[in-house]
Amino acid sequence: MVNAGKPGPGRTGRPRAGEERLSRQTILEAALRIVDTEGIEAMTMRRLASTLGVNPMSIYHHLPNKAAVFAGLAELVFAELESSPPDDSIRWQDELKGAAAAYRDALRAHPNLALQVLSDTSAVSDVVVVTVEPFYRALDRAGAKPRQIFEAVNTIIDFIHGFTLGEASVRSDTFELAPDLLTRVATLPPGKAPTLVRVVSELGTEGLAYDFNDGFTTGIAVLVAGIESQLGL
Amino acid sequence: MVNAGKPGPGRTGRPRAGEERLSRQTILEAALRIVDTEGIEAMTMRRLASTLGVNPMSIYHHLPNKAAVFAGLAELVFAELESSPPDDSIRWQDELKGAAAAYRDALRAHPNLALQVLSDTSAVSDVVVVTVEPFYRALDRAGAKPRQIFEAVNTIIDFIHGFTLGEASVRSDTFELAPDLLTRVATLPPGKAPTLVRVVSELGTEGLAYDFNDGFTTGIAVLVAGIESQLGL
DNA sequence: ACAGTAGCCATACGCTGTATGATTTCTGTA
DNA sequence: TACAGAAATCATACAGCGTATGGCTACTGT
């Protein structure tokens, strides 16, 4: 933060040698903080400049436009993904599950940014490539053929993206689906969705809270089981 | 379209009895056409009003704000989803695959809207509930328990959402991943992702184009196989 | 007949991203 | 050491955005 929150006019011209200067890095860090604490719609160029204590137009010397700022943030998110080192002592199934959990955690660390990250392919493409290595490693170890690996990884990644999307648009880790889902299902046009109505009502008699962590684990387990079965193991 | 494209000032006051009037429906239809043909960022309130030949503020008499317009569009998308009637003569696995294909098709029909639909939970929640009935029916027929059905459907839906997200941010049905992916993988920091590099290079020697339809079918097949295996069938 | 309201339009406000250009200082070459 | 050019900042300005406010007219119910 160079001169944060300052309202008055600043000196014009290039800053002197020793003086603190703007940089792509500090800009992106400030932007990430805004997104994390105030939400994505609060991240305007003027707001960003103001927290940096800088004129809005100064940012454009380091990043070409607002889209580039978000693209940079998407990079940051994936750069934070810590891939565990190869470990042949565990089952490939568990290596796969671990990679999935790590990938999800990276996306989940900045929920306000999730939607932006998931939809900005231009930014993701360059960095995301490396992040799939653990998935490839595990499936290669499982003896899958290149095409099988490719398709399986795509499927897992797509599931994680969809799951994260749902998770990011709610709030907490667990939320009560009982009143919400039950009443909504109850007020459905009578004959519209009989199976749904019956199954949900039976669900209501047992546990009723939905836990995202459980949901994720279960989903990945289904995928791994499916891959296993298709590999004929 | 009441008075499309008209630039000059319009008569003030309430329209006479027989006269064509604005309605929520016609507004949403016009909005959908704009989104489909010019992209989501072209859908501004002023642009929408202009194609309706109407003052921007007139729209607010039928919809409270722009978010409500998009929510209405999300509704439209799901309303177009045509669920096939119950058919016990086919395997439940195939019923599941058919439901997945139909759900995907509904999202895919308006690619420019996909991201909006997927992220707008407030709009989706009411209408999406009914759309999962076919999934519930198939899994119920398979003999799954309520909790299993619930989790399995969530997993499938999440996959479809993630897949659609990826599909919507590209363009055509198939795109050449060969030059793109290969060169990007080739220019990776040497030791960074050895498995990925090797597997992709082996992939390059056989087929190189990625087909979204194949990718979807494969992904759903993996999921169904996983569900099957977890049900112990 | 008349009150109330539904449905339209005009104007205006504060906000956005960013194009243009001035100003100052650093950097590389002579 | 002198100086040209580039680098990094700021000031101003513009077109476009969503929408709050309020005025006008014609319908509707009593």
Side-chain angles (χ1 to χ4, degrees):
Chain A
M1 210 169 314
V2 183
N3 204 0
K6 169 215 59 174
R11 255 74 67 251
T12 183
R14 175 175 180 154
R16 265 153 294 202
E19 271 183 6
E20 206 164 358
R21 298 219 313 276
L22 228 45
S23 78
R24 191 188 125 99
Q25 191 68 356
T26 63
I27 293 172
L28 291 181
E29 284 164 9
L32 187 55
R33 211 163 34 244
I34 293 176
V35 170
D36 280 344
T37 61
E38 306 178 43
I40 198 145
E41 71 288 347
M43 221 305 290
T44 71
M45 296 303 270
R46 288 171 152 92
R47 175 86 182 70
L48 178 55
S50 141
T51 81
L52 287 164
V54 124
N55 184 285
M57 292 314 294
S58 299
I59 297 169
Y60 288 86
H61 213 274
H62 304 270
L63 290 153
N65 51 43
K66 192 182 182 183
V69 175
F70 282 127
L73 292 184
E75 264 180 49
L76 281 192
V77 168
F78 278 103
E80 283 177 5
L81 195 157
E82 46 199 64
S83 61
S84 48
D87 179 2
D88 288 356
S89 72
I90 62 175
R91 297 165 65 237
W92 65 264
Q93 291 91 336
D94 292 327
E95 191 176 1
L96 212 49
K97 290 176 183 176
Y103 191 96
R104 172 192 176 219
D105 285 342
L107 289 179
R108 200 161 55 128
H110 305 279
N112 295 340
L113 204 51
L115 183 61
Q116 180 65 39
V117 170
L118 293 181
S119 61
D120 188 340
T121 51
S122 71
V124 167
S125 54
D126 261 358
V127 191
V128 84
V129 165
V130 188
T131 71
V132 297
E133 167 71 7
F135 296 93
Y136 274 73
R137 198 169 53 216
L139 283 166
D140 184 51
R141 198 146 68 77
K145 285 181 294 190
R147 192 82 207 176
Q148 288 177 315
I149 299 179
F150 179 71
E151 296 282 9
V153 172
N154 282 349
T155 302
I156 296 176
I157 296 285
D158 282 340
F159 165 71
I160 300 178
H161 285 177
F163 186 91
T164 304
L165 200 62
E167 186 177 21
S169 40
V170 184
R171 269 278 162 255
S172 56
D173 259 7
T174 79
F175 72 103
E176 290 299 312
L177 56 79
D180 205 20
L181 186 59
L182 286 181
T183 59
R184 197 178 309 137
V185 167
T187 62
L188 281 181
K192 267 299 191 180
T195 319
L196 174 66
V197 169
R198 180 168 45 76
V199 169
V200 167
S201 78
E202 293 174 19
L203 242 188
T205 64
E206 34 170 308
L208 20 60
Y210 179 70
D211 185 294
F212 276 110
N213 296 324
D214 287 354
F216 185 77
T217 306
T218 306
I220 291 293
V222 168
L223 280 166
V224 171
I227 292 169
E228 241 177 320
S229 137
Q230 292 205 333
L231 293 180
L233 303 180
Chain B
M1 210 168 316
V2 182
N3 203 357
K6 168 214 62 175
R11 255 75 64 251
T12 184
R14 175 174 179 154
R16 266 150 294 201
E19 272 184 4
E20 207 164 0
R21 298 218 317 278
L22 227 44
S23 79
R24 191 187 125 99
Q25 192 68 359
T26 63
I27 292 172
L28 290 180
E29 283 164 9
L32 186 56
R33 210 164 35 244
I34 294 177
V35 170
D36 280 344
T37 61
E38 306 178 42
I40 197 143
E41 71 288 346
M43 220 305 290
T44 71
M45 296 303 271
R46 290 172 150 92
R47 175 86 181 70
L48 177 55
S50 141
T51 80
L52 287 164
V54 124
N55 185 285
M57 291 315 293
S58 300
I59 297 170
Y60 289 85
H61 215 273
H62 303 268
L63 290 153
N65 50 43
K66 192 183 182 183
V69 175
F70 281 126
L73 292 185
E75 264 180 51
L76 281 193
V77 167
F78 278 102
E80 283 177 4
L81 194 156
E82 46 200 63
S83 61
S84 47
D87 179 1
D88 289 357
S89 73
I90 62 174
R91 297 166 65 239
W92 65 264
Q93 290 92 336
D94 292 327
E95 190 177 2
L96 212 48
K97 290 177 183 177
Y103 191 96
R104 173 192 176 217
D105 285 342
L107 289 179
R108 201 160 56 128
H110 305 279
N112 296 340
L113 204 51
L115 184 61
Q116 180 66 38
V117 170
L118 293 181
S119 60
D120 190 340
T121 50
S122 71
V124 168
S125 54
D126 261 358
V127 191
V128 84
V129 165
V130 188
T131 70
V132 296
E133 167 72 6
F135 297 92
Y136 273 74
R137 197 168 55 215
L139 284 166
D140 183 52
R141 198 147 67 80
K145 286 180 294 192
R147 191 83 207 176
Q148 289 177 316
I149 299 179
F150 179 70
E151 296 282 9
V153 172
N154 283 349
T155 302
I156 296 176
I157 297 285
D158 282 340
F159 166 71
I160 301 178
H161 285 178
F163 185 90
T164 304
L165 200 60
E167 186 177 21
S169 39
V170 183
R171 270 280 162 252
S172 56
D173 259 5
T174 79
F175 71 103
E176 290 298 314
L177 56 79
D180 206 19
L181 186 60
L182 286 182
T183 59
R184 199 178 309 138
V185 167
T187 62
L188 281 181
K192 268 296 191 183
T195 319
L196 174 66
V197 169
R198 179 168 46 75
V199 169
V200 167
S201 78
E202 291 174 19
L203 244 187
T205 63
E206 34 171 307
L208 20 61
Y210 179 70
D211 185 295
F212 276 109
N213 296 323
D214 287 354
F216 185 76
T217 306
T218 307
I220 291 292
V222 168
L223 280 166
V224 171
I227 293 169
E228 240 178 321
S229 137
Q230 291 205 334
L231 292 180
L233 305 179

